[in-house]
Amino acid sequence: MSSFNDFGNPQVAALPAHLKQFIVDQHYEHYTPVDHAVWRYVMRQNYSYLKDVAYYPYIPGLEKAGLSIEKIPSLQEMNDALAKIGWGAVTVDGFIPPAAFMEYQAYRVLVIAADIRQLKHIEYTPAPDIIHESAGHAPIIADKDYHEYLSYFGSIGAKAMFSAQDFELYEAIRALSILKEMPDADANEINKAEELLAHRQENMGEPSEMALLSRLHWWTVEYGLIGNLASPKIYGAGLLSSIGESASCMDSDIKKIPYTIDAINYTYDITKTQPQLFVTPTFQNLIDVLETFANTMSFRKGGVYGLQKAIESKNTCTAVYSSGLQVSGTFTDFKQHNNDPVFVKTTGPSALAVDNRQLKGHGKDYHKDGFSSPVGKLNGHAMPLENLSVEELNYFGIEQGKTTELNFESGISVIGEVKEIITSNCKTQLITFTNCTVKGKAGELLFDPTWGVYDMAVGEKIASVFCGAADKGEFLEIAYKSDTLTHHAAYDNNTIELHKLYQQVRNRRHNGGDFGFLGNVWLMLQKNHHDDWLCALEILEILDHEEIEPDLAAEIRSFLEQKAINEPECKKLINDGFYLIKHPVEQKLVV
């Protein structure tokens, strides 16, 4: 990204640095006339069909999201429109890691893949593209209940524990989606990528919180239906942006299941149509189910459960003491007593924060070799240490400049000279010692005076554990970013000529004027681009609507009818195009 453009949108401007790294320029000028024709075809089909089966705000939602039928939207247009409902949009390079995707939602920013599907994948693409992200996600955002769900989902997803296997699966999905969108992808390469994806899906082990949340996201945000089981409406972006599956999903052989927490037990495959779909009666039900799941997550449960998940994750995680102190780092060990943590340990660069703001002097440069500290109450003290005022701490001999001995109920002892006491929000969070010795219940050495200054976290319990650093900006957490880049085609002369033919038809449709050259475009299509059907269909549309050149129109129609017979994969696309010539859609949106 050359320079950060916030499009004058407050939501985009508020994005933190660790999310901005995924943003790429849209490069609107790279969209070809064929790309705009693909967008127009899909949007006209959607407008015609989805007005009857999509959840009611879809059509007005297009306008509120700054989208039109005639051309691919620019990011500026979308941001101008979305800002009015408190959202924004940015473009990225294909799939980004799930944790980052979720966090964008928490910031109320839509992540839009800058690329658009090829003509041969016009009905559905496994790769994220601008049709899916903008025509799929954006229109429903106009619904307040739905966008509340989206941003709430994002805030919960941003805290979810993820595993090394999650990253491997993400890489396999990204690689396959990129391969499938390559114009001349090698069939063997695709087979290998599909086998690798299948292997990783089958060897995920116990699914992580992120993996389970991704299922809830898939069965709602991507493939959700709303209403009753007998006649539901579509709100999922994957269905709204697939002109094939938006129709087939309503077939009776696609099982419809009431949406409950049980949806986490259903895995999904991004490369295939869905064998079942879930129907929610209301968007509020989505929030209720999400809340049920959130109550099982580490950030809500904390304690031994959360720390164990943090260790299994092997990623930067944050443990929050009941005092409010946040310890961020890679957790490698903890001790427990009566099923409560009594000592925690990180390895490698760690940091301390309160209220998601790093404590001065306690960044990962200072705690470069890790952090360890007891958890729990002191022996013989009814009140937790964190709740004692400075005066009460002094009364118990915990006073700056004095040597004190702290004996915890767990049997851990801390002896040293108090150097500093940090308090905030009426809680004591950190006591720093010099010349300090820390020993475990069995007398084992946990900290030696020769190791330097000892910073002891204060808190009776580990209240919460979540993935990522507390203060991401200060921790300078570089989110996991793929090395695999999406493929951008270099066009040969023949393809460039085809682009020019599409542009000529587009100009004629928009500007009117002499129609005679449409016959020349048709001749060039016949001569050099016999595989094309969409440009031919667009010429037929103009001739039919203006009731001109009936012989030319009949010749083109005959060609398309024959193509539909000879090439079954084109049959529905061509017939749907014929239908729209007869039943044109009218868009009342500003183009």
Side-chain angles (χ1 to χ4, degrees), residues 63 102 341 371 548 551 585:
E63 184 173 23
M102 300 281 185
F371 180 84
I548 50 178
D551 292 345
V585 296

Side-chain angles (χ1 to χ4, degrees), residues 369-446:
D369 299 318
F371 180 84
S372 65
S373 181
V375 187
K377 289 165 79 171
L378 294 178
N379 245 339
H381 284 246
M383 190 178 284
L385 190 57
E386 67 215 68
N387 292 340
L388 299 181
S389 66
V390 173
E391 293 77 17
E392 288 167 327
L393 289 170
N394 291 349
Y395 175 78
F396 289 113
I398 305 168
E399 188 177 351
Q400 206 166 336
K402 287 192 175 177
T403 297
T404 189
E405 180 172 348
L406 305 179
N407 292 299
F408 287 81
E409 287 179 345
S410 61
I412 292 172
S413 66
V414 178
I415 304 169
E417 183 183 314
V418 178
K419 182 186 176 191
E420 186 184 14
I421 299 171
I422 291 179
T423 63
S424 66
N425 305 329
C426 301
K427 296 270 190 183
T428 298
Q429 279 121 1
L430 193 70
I431 302 174
T432 300
F433 296 89
T434 55
N435 194 29
C436 185
T437 302
V438 183
K439 289 186 175 176
K441 186 177 183 180
E444 70 275 22
L445 189 66
L446 300 174

Side-chain angles (χ1 to χ4, degrees), residues 49-55 225 232-235 240 246-247 250:
Y49 175 67
L50 292 176
K51 69 180 188 297
D52 300 318
V53 297
Y55 184 59
L225 300 175
K233 300 287 187 186
I234 296 170
Y235 72 89
L240 292 175
S246 60
M250 290 301 175

Side-chain angles (χ1 to χ4, degrees), residues 129-186:
D129 80 330
I130 195 163
I131 293 178
H132 170 81
E133 309 290 356
S134 53
H137 287 289
I140 306 298
I141 281 184
D143 186 280
K144 185 175 183 299
D145 287 345
Y146 182 68
H147 76 224
E148 291 294 340
Y149 170 67
L150 260 193
S151 59
Y152 186 47
F153 201 115
S155 64
I156 286 171
K159 290 187 165 86
M161 290 289 175
F162 45 86
S163 65
Q165 289 97 320
D166 289 336
F167 280 142
E168 289 172 357
L169 182 66
Y170 156 70
E171 275 286 16
I173 288 172
R174 180 179 167 86
L176 178 60
S177 71
I178 290 169
L179 266 177
K180 286 200 162 187
E181 271 301 303
M182 281 187 183
D184 304 310
D186 183 274

Side-chain angles (χ1 to χ4, degrees), residues 12 20 29 85 109 179 184 196 227 266 272 287 368 398-399 408 474 492 508 535 540 584:
V12 177
K20 287 178 183 172
E29 71 280 3
I85 51 174
V109 173
L179 266 177
D184 304 310
L196 180 62
Y266 289 77
K272 296 184 170 71
I287 294 174
K368 64 182 185 300
I398 305 168
E399 188 177 351
F408 287 81
E474 286 295 332
D492 59 23
R508 172 62 181 77
C535 192
L540 180 62

